[in-house]
């Protein structure tokens, strides 16, 4: 191609030289004068310059301009020139190269978007470092866990991104040894303490060239919490069932050993056995209710429920106990309170549990206040008391099964330790929420129910 252009260029200069020689010969033979020679040479030069510009310089400039645009990323532009055959071939080759680059770029973009979509949809965190130990990729899970943005992690050392020397050591060890590194459990502040399972794998290129490392971070905090709760639940169930059974067996043995012959003692023992038997039955009933609620085996009989009526019935049920402790029960309910879609039996059980606890843990002469507020989306019922309150460290756990703030006192008052857990599951079955606030002046238990299913 270049050979053909070179030949045409040499031919153009040779043609000019030939015309100049012919004009010189004619001048020498006195056929034309010097002015004619100069004018002829001028116009011949102008014509050849115009021809060279049209067929060579202008197409080359067009090709150069479009090539620069392509280099800047505008691959949709194509070269359209009218020039020498060789330049047409060059323009076609560049256009073909641009089309192939577009195809390859589309494939690369699709692969990158697919990889990014996979990373974004992963439940686990991903951190990638280059061979210099600088962060080159973090997926949204890690950004959410550690509350960081791309501008804060891109190109930084991992210790500057996540302030944990143990985590940094795992990545650096994998980077230097180019061997997988695992850590069964690592505690990191995020800002709350959380447990993570870390698996760091080296990235290798051609000929085992070191490229970097990638770490998979799995949050096992909830898993460990559930395992602990399960272990505690088994232990608590065993303890809660064993205590009344031990008491019953002990008194029965005492009766069989001769105490049955003494009517007063025998009656006292039988009353205790009856009470422990009822408590055992209550625990088993509550466990069955909780099991059905958790397994979604209990179907709610939803219909419009008048919460004012439910609250009124609950207050009537506890008026006698409140009077014994000189506790005043007050209410704040709007007459325009709308009906709530729900299972009246289950909602009554929630109110009974909350009011029962409020009266139990409120000292003599105290107050229990029930208020109901609503907006266009939900109804919120709050049961407040002036009782002994709940320690701040126990508030997150009060809805756990068998969790008691004061175990001895709760058991003494006849509680099974399952009431609040049942309330929580009833609320979840209704699509609502239950929460607690407490301090030394008393506690507030609130639950919210949606007005639309």
């Amino acid at each position: 191609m270049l050979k053909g252009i070179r030949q045409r260029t040499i031919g153009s200069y040779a043609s000019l030289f030939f015309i100049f020689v012919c004009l010189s010969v004619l001048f020498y033979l006195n056929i034309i004068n010097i002015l004619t020679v100069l004018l002829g040479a001028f116009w011949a030069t102008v014509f050849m310059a115009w021809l060279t510009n049209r067929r060579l310089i202008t197409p080359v400039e067009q090709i150069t301009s479009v090539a620069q645009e392509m280099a800047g990323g505008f691959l949709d532009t194509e070269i359209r020139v009218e020039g020498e055959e060789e330049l047409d071939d060059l323009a076609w080759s560049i256009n073909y190269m641009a089309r192939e680059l577009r195809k390859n770029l589309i494939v690369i973009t699709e692969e990158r978007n697919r990889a990014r979509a996979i990373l974004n949809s992963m439940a686990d965190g991903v951190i990638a470092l280059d061979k210099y130990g600088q962060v080159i990729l973090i997926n949204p899970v890690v950004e959410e866990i550690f509350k960081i943005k791309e501008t804060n992690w891109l190109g930084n050392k991992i210790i500057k991104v996540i302030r944990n020397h143990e985590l940094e050591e795992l990545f650096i060890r994998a980077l230097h040894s180019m061997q997988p590194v695992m850590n069964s459990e690592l505690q990191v502040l995020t800002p709350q303490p959380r447990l993570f399972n870390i698996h760091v794998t080296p990235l290798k290129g051609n000929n085992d060239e070191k490229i970097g490392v990638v770490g998979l971070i799995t949050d096992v905090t909830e898993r460990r919490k559930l395992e602990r709760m399960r272990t505690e639940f088994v232990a608590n169930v065993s303890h809660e069932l064993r205590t009344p059974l031990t008491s019953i067996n002990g008194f029965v043995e005492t009766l069989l050993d001769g105490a049955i012959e003494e009517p007063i003692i025998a009656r006292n023992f039988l009353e205790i056995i009856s009470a422990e038997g009822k408590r055992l039955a209550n625990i088993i009933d509550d466990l069955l209710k909780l099991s059905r609620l958790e397994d979604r085996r209990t179907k709610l009989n939803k219909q419009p429920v008048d919460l004012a009526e439910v609250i009124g019935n609950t207050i009537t049920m506890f008026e006698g106990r409140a009077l014994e402790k000189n506790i005043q029960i007050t209410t704040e309910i709007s007459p325009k309170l709308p009906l709530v879609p729900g299972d009246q039996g289950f909602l009554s059980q929630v109110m009974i549990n909350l009011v029962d606890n409020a009266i139990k843990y409120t000292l003599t002469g105290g107050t229990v206040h029930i208020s109901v507020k609503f907006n266009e989306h939900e109804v919120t019922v709050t049961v407040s008391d002036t009782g002994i309150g709940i320690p701040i460290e126990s508030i997150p756990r009060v809805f756990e099964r068998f969790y008691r703030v004061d175990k001895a006192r709760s058991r003494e008052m006849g509680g099974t330790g399952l009431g609040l857990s049942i309330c929580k599951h009833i609320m979840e079955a209704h699509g609502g929420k239950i929460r607690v606030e407490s301090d030394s002046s008393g506690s507030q238990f609130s639950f919210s129910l949606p007005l639309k299913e």
Side-chain angles (χ1 to χ4, degrees), residues 104-159:
N104 293 335
L105 186 60
I106 290 172
V107 172
I108 293 172
T109 302
E110 289 177 350
E111 290 293 332
R112 184 189 63 186
N113 292 339
R114 191 177 295 114
R116 174 60 65 179
I118 293 172
L119 285 173
N120 291 347
S121 62
M122 288 180 64
D124 296 330
V126 177
I127 299 177
L129 309 184
D130 62 15
K131 61 181 179 180
Y132 304 107
Q134 296 175 331
V135 179
I136 56 174
L137 184 145
I138 282 181
N139 73 337
V141 173
V142 178
E143 292 180 338
E144 177 63 25
I145 291 174
F146 297 99
K147 306 301 180 184
I148 54 178
K149 297 181 179 179
E150 184 173 352
T151 53
N152 298 330
W153 58 256
L154 187 60
N156 286 328
K157 298 289 186 181
I158 191 170
I159 190 63

Short mmCIF file of all heavy atoms in Angstrom, two decimals, residues 104-159:
data_model
loop_
_atom_site.label_atom_id
_atom_site.label_comp_id
_atom_site.label_asym_id
_atom_site.label_seq_id
_atom_site.Cartn_x
_atom_site.Cartn_y
_atom_site.Cartn_z
N ASN A 104 -15.74 -6.69 20.80
CA ASN A 104 -14.98 -7.13 21.98
C ASN A 104 -15.34 -6.31 23.21
O ASN A 104 -15.42 -6.84 24.32
CB ASN A 104 -13.48 -7.04 21.70
CG ASN A 104 -13.02 -8.02 20.65
OD1 ASN A 104 -13.65 -9.06 20.44
ND2 ASN A 104 -11.93 -7.72 19.97
N LEU A 105 -15.55 -5.00 22.99
CA LEU A 105 -15.90 -4.13 24.12
C LEU A 105 -17.27 -4.51 24.68
O LEU A 105 -17.46 -4.50 25.90
CB LEU A 105 -15.90 -2.67 23.66
CG LEU A 105 -16.11 -1.62 24.76
CD1 LEU A 105 -15.01 -1.72 25.81
CD2 LEU A 105 -16.15 -0.22 24.16
N ILE A 106 -18.21 -4.84 23.79
CA ILE A 106 -19.54 -5.26 24.25
C ILE A 106 -19.44 -6.55 25.08
O ILE A 106 -20.05 -6.68 26.14
CB ILE A 106 -20.49 -5.47 23.05
CG1 ILE A 106 -20.82 -4.11 22.41
CG2 ILE A 106 -21.77 -6.17 23.49
CD1 ILE A 106 -21.59 -4.22 21.10
N VAL A 107 -18.62 -7.50 24.58
CA VAL A 107 -18.44 -8.76 25.31
C VAL A 107 -17.81 -8.51 26.67
O VAL A 107 -18.25 -9.04 27.71
CB VAL A 107 -17.57 -9.74 24.48
CG1 VAL A 107 -17.22 -10.98 25.31
CG2 VAL A 107 -18.30 -10.15 23.21
N ILE A 108 -16.75 -7.67 26.69
CA ILE A 108 -16.07 -7.37 27.96
C ILE A 108 -17.00 -6.65 28.92
O ILE A 108 -17.04 -6.96 30.12
CB ILE A 108 -14.82 -6.50 27.68
CG1 ILE A 108 -13.77 -7.31 26.91
CG2 ILE A 108 -14.22 -5.97 28.99
CD1 ILE A 108 -12.60 -6.49 26.42
N THR A 109 -17.81 -5.71 28.40
CA THR A 109 -18.76 -4.98 29.25
C THR A 109 -19.81 -5.92 29.83
O THR A 109 -20.16 -5.82 31.01
CB THR A 109 -19.44 -3.86 28.44
OG1 THR A 109 -18.44 -2.97 27.91
CG2 THR A 109 -20.39 -3.06 29.32
N GLU A 110 -20.31 -6.84 28.98
CA GLU A 110 -21.29 -7.80 29.47
C GLU A 110 -20.70 -8.69 30.55
O GLU A 110 -21.34 -8.98 31.57
CB GLU A 110 -21.82 -8.65 28.31
CG GLU A 110 -22.73 -7.88 27.36
CD GLU A 110 -23.18 -8.73 26.19
OE1 GLU A 110 -22.62 -9.85 26.03
OE2 GLU A 110 -24.08 -8.30 25.44
N GLU A 111 -19.46 -9.14 30.33
CA GLU A 111 -18.80 -9.98 31.34
C GLU A 111 -18.58 -9.20 32.63
O GLU A 111 -18.79 -9.72 33.73
CB GLU A 111 -17.45 -10.47 30.80
CG GLU A 111 -17.56 -11.49 29.68
CD GLU A 111 -18.16 -12.80 30.18
OE1 GLU A 111 -18.02 -13.13 31.36
OE2 GLU A 111 -18.79 -13.50 29.36
N ARG A 112 -18.17 -7.94 32.50
CA ARG A 112 -17.95 -7.12 33.69
C ARG A 112 -19.27 -6.88 34.43
O ARG A 112 -19.32 -6.99 35.66
CB ARG A 112 -17.34 -5.76 33.30
CG ARG A 112 -17.00 -4.88 34.49
CD ARG A 112 -16.63 -3.50 34.04
NE ARG A 112 -17.77 -2.85 33.39
CZ ARG A 112 -17.71 -1.67 32.79
NH1 ARG A 112 -16.57 -0.99 32.72
NH2 ARG A 112 -18.78 -1.14 32.23
N ASN A 113 -20.34 -6.57 33.68
CA ASN A 113 -21.64 -6.36 34.32
C ASN A 113 -22.16 -7.63 34.97
O ASN A 113 -22.77 -7.58 36.05
CB ASN A 113 -22.66 -5.85 33.29
CG ASN A 113 -22.32 -4.46 32.80
OD1 ASN A 113 -21.60 -3.71 33.45
ND2 ASN A 113 -22.85 -4.09 31.64
N ARG A 114 -21.90 -8.78 34.31
CA ARG A 114 -22.33 -10.05 34.89
C ARG A 114 -21.58 -10.32 36.19
O ARG A 114 -22.17 -10.73 37.20
CB ARG A 114 -22.09 -11.18 33.88
CG ARG A 114 -22.74 -12.49 34.28
CD ARG A 114 -22.53 -13.56 33.23
NE ARG A 114 -23.19 -13.21 31.97
CZ ARG A 114 -22.56 -12.94 30.84
NH1 ARG A 114 -21.24 -12.99 30.79
NH2 ARG A 114 -23.23 -12.63 29.75
N ALA A 115 -20.25 -10.09 36.16
CA ALA A 115 -19.45 -10.29 37.37
C ALA A 115 -19.88 -9.33 38.48
O ALA A 115 -19.98 -9.70 39.65
CB ALA A 115 -17.97 -10.10 37.05
N ARG A 116 -20.15 -8.07 38.10
CA ARG A 116 -20.60 -7.08 39.08
C ARG A 116 -21.96 -7.47 39.66
O ARG A 116 -22.19 -7.34 40.86
CB ARG A 116 -20.66 -5.71 38.42
CG ARG A 116 -21.25 -4.61 39.29
CD ARG A 116 -20.45 -4.39 40.55
NE ARG A 116 -19.11 -3.91 40.28
CZ ARG A 116 -18.23 -3.62 41.23
NH1 ARG A 116 -18.56 -3.80 42.51
NH2 ARG A 116 -17.03 -3.19 40.92
N ALA A 117 -22.86 -7.97 38.81
CA ALA A 117 -24.19 -8.39 39.30
C ALA A 117 -24.06 -9.55 40.27
O ALA A 117 -24.76 -9.61 41.28
CB ALA A 117 -25.08 -8.77 38.11
N ILE A 118 -23.15 -10.48 39.96
CA ILE A 118 -22.94 -11.62 40.86
C ILE A 118 -22.41 -11.14 42.20
O ILE A 118 -22.87 -11.55 43.26
CB ILE A 118 -21.98 -12.64 40.22
CG1 ILE A 118 -22.65 -13.30 39.00
CG2 ILE A 118 -21.56 -13.71 41.23
CD1 ILE A 118 -21.72 -14.17 38.18
N LEU A 119 -21.42 -10.24 42.16
CA LEU A 119 -20.85 -9.71 43.39
C LEU A 119 -21.90 -8.95 44.21
O LEU A 119 -21.97 -9.07 45.43
CB LEU A 119 -19.67 -8.78 43.07
CG LEU A 119 -18.37 -9.47 42.65
CD1 LEU A 119 -17.35 -8.42 42.19
CD2 LEU A 119 -17.79 -10.29 43.78
N ASN A 120 -22.72 -8.16 43.51
CA ASN A 120 -23.73 -7.36 44.21
C ASN A 120 -24.83 -8.22 44.82
O ASN A 120 -25.44 -7.84 45.81
CB ASN A 120 -24.35 -6.35 43.25
CG ASN A 120 -23.36 -5.27 42.84
OD1 ASN A 120 -22.30 -5.12 43.45
ND2 ASN A 120 -23.71 -4.50 41.82
N SER A 121 -25.09 -9.38 44.22
CA SER A 121 -26.17 -10.23 44.72
C SER A 121 -25.70 -11.22 45.78
O SER A 121 -26.51 -11.92 46.37
CB SER A 121 -26.81 -11.01 43.56
OG SER A 121 -25.86 -11.86 42.94
N MET A 122 -24.39 -11.28 46.01
CA MET A 122 -23.86 -12.22 47.01
C MET A 122 -24.24 -11.79 48.42
O MET A 122 -24.23 -10.61 48.74
CB MET A 122 -22.34 -12.33 46.90
CG MET A 122 -21.85 -13.07 45.67
SD MET A 122 -20.05 -13.17 45.60
CE MET A 122 -19.70 -14.14 47.06
N ALA A 123 -24.59 -12.77 49.24
CA ALA A 123 -24.90 -12.48 50.64
C ALA A 123 -23.64 -12.30 51.47
O ALA A 123 -23.69 -11.69 52.55
CB ALA A 123 -25.75 -13.61 51.23
N ASP A 124 -22.51 -12.80 50.97
CA ASP A 124 -21.24 -12.68 51.68
C ASP A 124 -20.45 -11.49 51.14
O ASP A 124 -20.65 -11.04 50.00
CB ASP A 124 -20.40 -13.95 51.52
CG ASP A 124 -21.07 -15.15 52.16
OD1 ASP A 124 -21.80 -14.95 53.15
OD2 ASP A 124 -20.88 -16.28 51.67
N GLY A 125 -19.54 -11.00 51.95
CA GLY A 125 -18.69 -9.89 51.55
C GLY A 125 -17.49 -10.36 50.75
O GLY A 125 -16.97 -11.46 50.98
N VAL A 126 -17.03 -9.54 49.82
CA VAL A 126 -15.87 -9.86 48.99
C VAL A 126 -14.91 -8.67 49.00
O VAL A 126 -15.33 -7.52 48.77
CB VAL A 126 -16.26 -10.19 47.54
CG1 VAL A 126 -15.03 -10.45 46.69
CG2 VAL A 126 -17.19 -11.40 47.50
N ILE A 127 -13.63 -8.95 49.28
CA ILE A 127 -12.59 -7.92 49.24
C ILE A 127 -11.45 -8.46 48.39
O ILE A 127 -10.98 -9.58 48.62
CB ILE A 127 -12.07 -7.57 50.64
CG1 ILE A 127 -13.19 -7.02 51.52
CG2 ILE A 127 -10.93 -6.56 50.56
CD1 ILE A 127 -12.76 -6.72 52.94
N ALA A 128 -10.99 -7.68 47.41
CA ALA A 128 -9.89 -8.10 46.54
C ALA A 128 -8.74 -7.09 46.66
O ALA A 128 -8.97 -5.88 46.67
CB ALA A 128 -10.34 -8.22 45.09
N LEU A 129 -7.52 -7.60 46.77
CA LEU A 129 -6.32 -6.77 46.82
C LEU A 129 -5.44 -7.08 45.61
O LEU A 129 -5.43 -8.22 45.12
CB LEU A 129 -5.51 -7.03 48.10
CG LEU A 129 -6.23 -6.99 49.45
CD1 LEU A 129 -5.22 -7.18 50.58
CD2 LEU A 129 -6.98 -5.69 49.63
N ASP A 130 -4.69 -6.08 45.13
CA ASP A 130 -3.73 -6.35 44.07
C ASP A 130 -2.43 -6.89 44.68
O ASP A 130 -2.34 -7.10 45.90
CB ASP A 130 -3.49 -5.09 43.24
CG ASP A 130 -2.90 -3.94 44.06
OD1 ASP A 130 -2.41 -4.18 45.19
OD2 ASP A 130 -2.94 -2.79 43.58
N LYS A 131 -1.42 -7.11 43.84
CA LYS A 131 -0.18 -7.72 44.34
C LYS A 131 0.61 -6.80 45.26
O LYS A 131 1.53 -7.24 45.93
CB LYS A 131 0.68 -8.14 43.15
CG LYS A 131 1.12 -6.99 42.24
CD LYS A 131 1.94 -7.53 41.09
CE LYS A 131 2.36 -6.41 40.13
NZ LYS A 131 3.16 -6.95 39.01
N TYR A 132 0.23 -5.51 45.29
CA TYR A 132 0.88 -4.57 46.20
C TYR A 132 0.13 -4.42 47.53
O TYR A 132 0.51 -3.61 48.37
CB TYR A 132 1.03 -3.20 45.53
CG TYR A 132 1.76 -3.26 44.20
CD1 TYR A 132 1.07 -3.09 43.01
CD2 TYR A 132 3.12 -3.52 44.16
CE1 TYR A 132 1.73 -3.16 41.79
CE2 TYR A 132 3.80 -3.58 42.94
CZ TYR A 132 3.09 -3.40 41.76
OH TYR A 132 3.75 -3.47 40.57
N GLY A 133 -0.95 -5.18 47.67
CA GLY A 133 -1.71 -5.12 48.91
C GLY A 133 -2.71 -3.98 48.98
O GLY A 133 -3.24 -3.67 50.05
N GLN A 134 -3.02 -3.37 47.83
CA GLN A 134 -3.99 -2.28 47.79
C GLN A 134 -5.37 -2.80 47.39
O GLN A 134 -5.48 -3.70 46.55
CB GLN A 134 -3.54 -1.20 46.81
CG GLN A 134 -2.24 -0.52 47.22
CD GLN A 134 -1.76 0.47 46.17
OE1 GLN A 134 -2.02 0.31 44.98
NE2 GLN A 134 -1.03 1.49 46.60
N VAL A 135 -6.40 -2.23 47.98
CA VAL A 135 -7.77 -2.68 47.72
C VAL A 135 -8.19 -2.26 46.31
O VAL A 135 -8.10 -1.09 45.95
CB VAL A 135 -8.75 -2.09 48.75
CG1 VAL A 135 -10.18 -2.55 48.46
CG2 VAL A 135 -8.36 -2.51 50.17
N ILE A 136 -8.64 -3.23 45.53
CA ILE A 136 -9.10 -2.93 44.16
C ILE A 136 -10.58 -3.22 43.98
O ILE A 136 -11.18 -2.76 43.00
CB ILE A 136 -8.29 -3.72 43.12
CG1 ILE A 136 -8.38 -5.23 43.41
CG2 ILE A 136 -6.85 -3.26 43.09
CD1 ILE A 136 -7.72 -6.11 42.34
N LEU A 137 -11.18 -3.96 44.92
CA LEU A 137 -12.61 -4.27 44.78
C LEU A 137 -13.21 -4.61 46.14
O LEU A 137 -12.60 -5.33 46.93
CB LEU A 137 -12.80 -5.45 43.82
CG LEU A 137 -14.25 -5.84 43.49
CD1 LEU A 137 -14.36 -6.30 42.04
CD2 LEU A 137 -14.75 -6.95 44.40
N ILE A 138 -14.38 -4.04 46.37
CA ILE A 138 -15.18 -4.36 47.56
C ILE A 138 -16.63 -4.38 47.12
O ILE A 138 -17.10 -3.46 46.45
CB ILE A 138 -14.96 -3.32 48.68
CG1 ILE A 138 -13.63 -3.57 49.39
CG2 ILE A 138 -16.10 -3.37 49.69
CD1 ILE A 138 -13.34 -2.61 50.53
N ASN A 139 -17.35 -5.44 47.46
CA ASN A 139 -18.75 -5.50 47.03
C ASN A 139 -19.66 -4.76 48.03
O ASN A 139 -19.24 -4.42 49.14
CB ASN A 139 -19.19 -6.96 46.82
CG ASN A 139 -19.37 -7.71 48.12
OD1 ASN A 139 -18.81 -7.35 49.14
ND2 ASN A 139 -20.16 -8.77 48.09
N PRO A 140 -20.91 -4.49 47.64
CA PRO A 140 -21.81 -3.68 48.49
C PRO A 140 -22.04 -4.25 49.88
O PRO A 140 -22.33 -3.50 50.82
CB PRO A 140 -23.12 -3.65 47.68
CG PRO A 140 -22.70 -3.84 46.27
CD PRO A 140 -21.53 -4.77 46.33
N VAL A 141 -21.93 -5.58 50.05
CA VAL A 141 -22.15 -6.18 51.37
C VAL A 141 -21.12 -5.66 52.36
O VAL A 141 -21.45 -5.26 53.48
CB VAL A 141 -22.09 -7.72 51.28
CG1 VAL A 141 -22.14 -8.33 52.68
CG2 VAL A 141 -23.23 -8.24 50.44
N VAL A 142 -19.85 -5.62 51.94
CA VAL A 142 -18.79 -5.11 52.82
C VAL A 142 -18.97 -3.62 53.06
O VAL A 142 -18.78 -3.13 54.18
CB VAL A 142 -17.40 -5.39 52.20
CG1 VAL A 142 -16.29 -4.81 53.07
CG2 VAL A 142 -17.19 -6.88 52.02
N GLU A 143 -19.36 -2.88 52.01
CA GLU A 143 -19.60 -1.45 52.18
C GLU A 143 -20.70 -1.20 53.20
O GLU A 143 -20.60 -0.27 54.02
CB GLU A 143 -19.97 -0.82 50.83
CG GLU A 143 -18.84 -0.78 49.83
CD GLU A 143 -19.25 -0.14 48.51
OE1 GLU A 143 -20.45 -0.10 48.21
OE2 GLU A 143 -18.35 0.32 47.79
N GLU A 144 -21.75 -2.03 53.17
CA GLU A 144 -22.85 -1.86 54.12
C GLU A 144 -22.45 -2.25 55.53
O GLU A 144 -22.77 -1.56 56.49
CB GLU A 144 -24.05 -2.71 53.66
CG GLU A 144 -25.23 -2.68 54.60
CD GLU A 144 -25.86 -1.31 54.75
OE1 GLU A 144 -25.72 -0.48 53.82
OE2 GLU A 144 -26.48 -1.06 55.81
N ILE A 145 -21.70 -3.35 55.66
CA ILE A 145 -21.30 -3.82 56.99
C ILE A 145 -20.39 -2.81 57.68
O ILE A 145 -20.59 -2.47 58.84
CB ILE A 145 -20.59 -5.18 56.88
CG1 ILE A 145 -21.58 -6.28 56.48
CG2 ILE A 145 -19.93 -5.55 58.22
CD1 ILE A 145 -20.93 -7.62 56.22
N PHE A 146 -19.40 -2.31 56.95
CA PHE A 146 -18.40 -1.44 57.55
C PHE A 146 -18.65 0.05 57.28
O PHE A 146 -17.82 0.89 57.66
CB PHE A 146 -17.00 -1.82 57.06
CG PHE A 146 -16.57 -3.20 57.45
CD1 PHE A 146 -16.68 -4.26 56.55
CD2 PHE A 146 -16.10 -3.47 58.72
CE1 PHE A 146 -16.31 -5.55 56.91
CE2 PHE A 146 -15.72 -4.74 59.09
CZ PHE A 146 -15.82 -5.78 58.19
N LYS A 147 -19.78 0.37 56.64
CA LYS A 147 -20.18 1.75 56.40
C LYS A 147 -19.08 2.53 55.69
O LYS A 147 -18.61 3.58 56.15
CB LYS A 147 -20.54 2.45 57.71
CG LYS A 147 -21.58 1.73 58.56
CD LYS A 147 -22.89 1.54 57.82
CE LYS A 147 -23.91 0.81 58.67
NZ LYS A 147 -25.16 0.53 57.92
N ILE A 148 -18.62 2.02 54.55
CA ILE A 148 -17.57 2.68 53.77
C ILE A 148 -18.04 2.90 52.35
O ILE A 148 -18.95 2.22 51.86
CB ILE A 148 -16.26 1.87 53.77
CG1 ILE A 148 -16.53 0.42 53.28
CG2 ILE A 148 -15.61 1.86 55.14
CD1 ILE A 148 -15.30 -0.44 53.20
N LYS A 149 -17.42 3.86 51.67
CA LYS A 149 -17.74 4.17 50.28
C LYS A 149 -16.52 3.91 49.40
O LYS A 149 -15.40 3.81 49.88
CB LYS A 149 -18.19 5.63 50.16
CG LYS A 149 -19.46 5.95 50.93
CD LYS A 149 -19.85 7.41 50.74
CE LYS A 149 -21.13 7.74 51.50
NZ LYS A 149 -21.52 9.16 51.34
N GLU A 150 -16.77 3.82 48.09
CA GLU A 150 -15.70 3.49 47.15
C GLU A 150 -14.55 4.48 47.22
O GLU A 150 -13.38 4.11 47.12
CB GLU A 150 -16.26 3.41 45.73
CG GLU A 150 -15.23 2.98 44.70
CD GLU A 150 -15.83 2.76 43.32
OE1 GLU A 150 -17.07 2.80 43.21
OE2 GLU A 150 -15.06 2.55 42.37
N THR A 151 -14.87 5.75 47.41
CA THR A 151 -13.81 6.77 47.48
C THR A 151 -12.90 6.57 48.69
O THR A 151 -11.77 7.06 48.70
CB THR A 151 -14.44 8.17 47.55
OG1 THR A 151 -15.40 8.22 48.64
CG2 THR A 151 -15.15 8.50 46.26
N ASN A 152 -13.39 5.84 49.70
CA ASN A 152 -12.60 5.63 50.91
C ASN A 152 -11.74 4.37 50.85
O ASN A 152 -10.79 4.24 51.63
CB ASN A 152 -13.52 5.55 52.14
CG ASN A 152 -14.30 6.83 52.37
OD1 ASN A 152 -13.83 7.90 52.04
ND2 ASN A 152 -15.50 6.71 52.91
N TRP A 153 -12.08 3.43 49.96
CA TRP A 153 -11.31 2.17 49.94
C TRP A 153 -10.47 1.95 48.70
O TRP A 153 -9.45 1.26 48.74
CB TRP A 153 -12.23 0.97 50.14
CG TRP A 153 -13.35 0.77 49.16
CD1 TRP A 153 -14.67 1.04 49.36
CD2 TRP A 153 -13.28 0.23 47.83
NE1 TRP A 153 -15.42 0.71 48.26
CE2 TRP A 153 -14.59 0.19 47.31
CE3 TRP A 153 -12.24 -0.26 47.05
CZ2 TRP A 153 -14.89 -0.27 46.03
CZ3 TRP A 153 -12.52 -0.73 45.78
CH2 TRP A 153 -13.83 -0.73 45.27
N LEU A 154 -10.84 2.53 47.57
CA LEU A 154 -10.14 2.25 46.32
C LEU A 154 -8.69 2.71 46.40
O LEU A 154 -8.39 3.88 46.61
CB LEU A 154 -10.85 2.94 45.16
CG LEU A 154 -10.33 2.59 43.76
CD1 LEU A 154 -10.48 1.10 43.49
CD2 LEU A 154 -11.08 3.39 42.69
N GLY A 155 -7.76 1.75 46.23
CA GLY A 155 -6.34 2.07 46.21
C GLY A 155 -5.69 2.17 47.57
O GLY A 155 -4.48 2.38 47.65
N ASN A 156 -6.45 1.99 48.66
CA ASN A 156 -5.89 2.09 50.00
C ASN A 156 -5.49 0.72 50.51
O ASN A 156 -5.95 -0.31 50.03
CB ASN A 156 -6.90 2.71 50.98
CG ASN A 156 -7.07 4.20 50.75
OD1 ASN A 156 -6.13 4.89 50.37
ND2 ASN A 156 -8.26 4.70 50.98
N LYS A 157 -4.61 0.71 51.53
CA LYS A 157 -4.28 -0.53 52.22
C LYS A 157 -5.50 -0.96 53.04
O LYS A 157 -6.28 -0.14 53.52
CB LYS A 157 -3.08 -0.32 53.14
CG LYS A 157 -1.80 0.07 52.41
CD LYS A 157 -1.24 -1.11 51.63
CE LYS A 157 0.10 -0.77 51.01
NZ LYS A 157 0.67 -1.89 50.23
N ILE A 158 -5.64 -2.27 53.23
CA ILE A 158 -6.83 -2.78 53.90
C ILE A 158 -6.93 -2.33 55.34
O ILE A 158 -8.02 -2.15 55.88
CB ILE A 158 -6.89 -4.33 53.80
CG1 ILE A 158 -8.27 -4.82 54.25
CG2 ILE A 158 -5.77 -4.97 54.61
CD1 ILE A 158 -8.53 -6.27 53.98
N ILE A 159 -5.79 -2.08 56.00
CA ILE A 159 -5.82 -1.65 57.40
C ILE A 159 -6.42 -0.26 57.52
O ILE A 159 -7.00 0.10 58.55
CB ILE A 159 -4.40 -1.67 58.01
CG1 ILE A 159 -4.46 -1.45 59.52
CG2 ILE A 159 -3.52 -0.63 57.33
CD1 ILE A 159 -5.20 -2.52 60.28
#
